[in-house]
Amino acid sequence: MKLAFSTLGVPGVPVSEVVRLAAGHGYHGVELRAHPEEPVHPGIGSAERDRVAAEFKAAGVEILGIAGYVKVAAPGDDGPVLDEIRDLLDLARDLGAPFVRVFPGGDPDGGQSTEEADAVAARRLGTAAEDAADRGVRVLLETHDSHRTGADVIRVLGPVGHRNVGALWDVMHTWLGGEQPAESYAALSPFLGYVQVKDIASAEDTTPLPLGAGALPLGECLDVLTRKEWDGWLCWEYEKRWYETAAPLPELLTAGREHLTRLLNEAA
């Protein structure tokens, strides 16, 4: 499996420094958080996109994915949601990234039923699938918020049934949803793009911790992936942006890579 980290862990850090961190700490790739407060987002022009792609290529570091914030199940008109997905797909194509991340974002507290949320998300992703195929990119629905588990996500992806729409397995959210790693993998495996790993102290305290220092069953997750001979990407999503008191990610990167490598060797 290839290893990456998300720029959510190094908020606002320039691209050149992100590339240096990845190459210097032995990571194969980087997931780029696509937000206006970051150096890379859909608002940057073609010259800047070319420069970013060239920097990564020169260092031999891959851009794994573009992590957007589109909520595909959210109530409202389809048009703005689809436009936002297209902007992310264009950015991914221009940077040579194979994946775009989207959120479910259903609104049960606002009265939206589970069935409504599933249908809205499936309809939008079905439309976006053709745009993704045209650009050679896959849209991945993350296990998150209203669709936290693998069982939740496949209710959307099953009806879509398109190879350019898949799943992103965030191991924290499936765990918080009460799903065992083997259950999550069984649900998501036909659609799985890549896996986000992380660690936290408990369900009540989700402050990011160094890998292996918390409660998440990372070893069990990697054991399942290894036994099933899955050979995709593991991306460390360290949520420093949301937890300012968390330790800086750069000083944790080498130990994190070594921990994942150790777990993979044990699973093998």
Side-chain angles (χ1 to χ4, degrees):
M1 299 180 205
K2 293 182 178 181
L3 305 182
F5 66 85
S6 168
T7 55
L8 187 63
V10 285
V13 170
V15 168
S16 57
E17 178 65 9
V18 170
V19 172
R20 187 191 69 79
L21 287 171
H25 292 277
Y27 286 77
H28 306 97
V30 172
E31 177 194 78
L32 294 174
R33 177 179 180 247
H35 190 279
E37 67 187 21
E38 299 292 346
V40 179
H41 55 83
I44 64 174
S46 59
E48 181 65 9
R49 296 178 186 211
D50 291 344
R51 187 189 68 79
V52 170
E55 280 201 62
F56 275 92
K57 184 175 181 179
V61 177
E62 297 181 54
I63 300 176
L64 166 61
I66 304 300
Y69 288 87
V70 184
K71 297 179 178 180
V72 296
D77 295 336
D78 289 355
V81 175
L82 294 171
D83 288 344
E84 194 173 350
I85 295 174
R86 289 187 193 100
D87 288 344
L88 291 168
L89 290 168
D90 287 342
L91 180 62
R93 176 199 60 202
D94 294 345
L95 297 180
F99 302 116
V100 160
R101 186 278 305 278
V102 298
F103 283 149
D107 187 20
D109 294 335
Q112 186 187 42
S113 70
T114 298
E115 293 76 17
E116 288 172 331
D118 292 349
V120 169
R123 182 178 69 242
R124 290 169 176 166
L125 288 172
T127 301
E130 297 305 320
D131 295 321
D134 289 343
R135 294 159 176 79
V137 178
R138 290 185 77 198
V139 180
L140 302 183
L141 180 62
E142 183 173 328
T143 54
H144 197 274
D145 57 79
S146 61
H147 292 65
R148 175 164 271 180
T149 66
D152 293 329
V153 164
I154 62 169
R155 293 199 312 268
V156 174
L157 299 183
V160 175
H162 195 291
R163 62 185 178 85
N164 285 83
V165 174
L168 198 171
W169 179 12
D170 181 322
V171 302
M172 181 185 77
H173 283 283
T174 54
W175 181 76
L176 291 173
E179 200 170 60
Q180 296 299 311
E183 295 172 330
S184 300
Y185 179 82
L188 297 172
S189 59
F191 313 99
L192 192 56
Y194 64 99
V195 179
Q196 283 181 344
V197 297
K198 59 187 72 172
D199 220 341
I200 56 174
S202 67
E204 294 72 36
D205 182 3
T206 56
T207 303
L209 294 175
L211 294 179
L216 292 185
L218 297 179
E220 190 176 348
C221 291
L222 299 195
D223 184 62
V224 169
L225 292 168
T226 300
R227 282 190 287 106
K228 298 298 183 179
E229 299 183 341
W230 187 80
D231 62 353
W233 285 87
L234 302 177
C235 179
W236 185 7
E237 188 187 47
Y238 184 80
E239 298 185 345
K240 174 68 173 174
R241 174 62 184 85
W242 314 126
Y243 297 87
E244 293 184 4
T245 60
L249 178 62
E251 64 190 39
L252 306 176
L253 283 172
T254 293
R257 174 182 52 77
E258 291 173 347
H259 182 70
L260 291 174
T261 300
R262 183 165 56 252
L263 290 179
L264 288 170
N265 288 337
E266 290 172 356

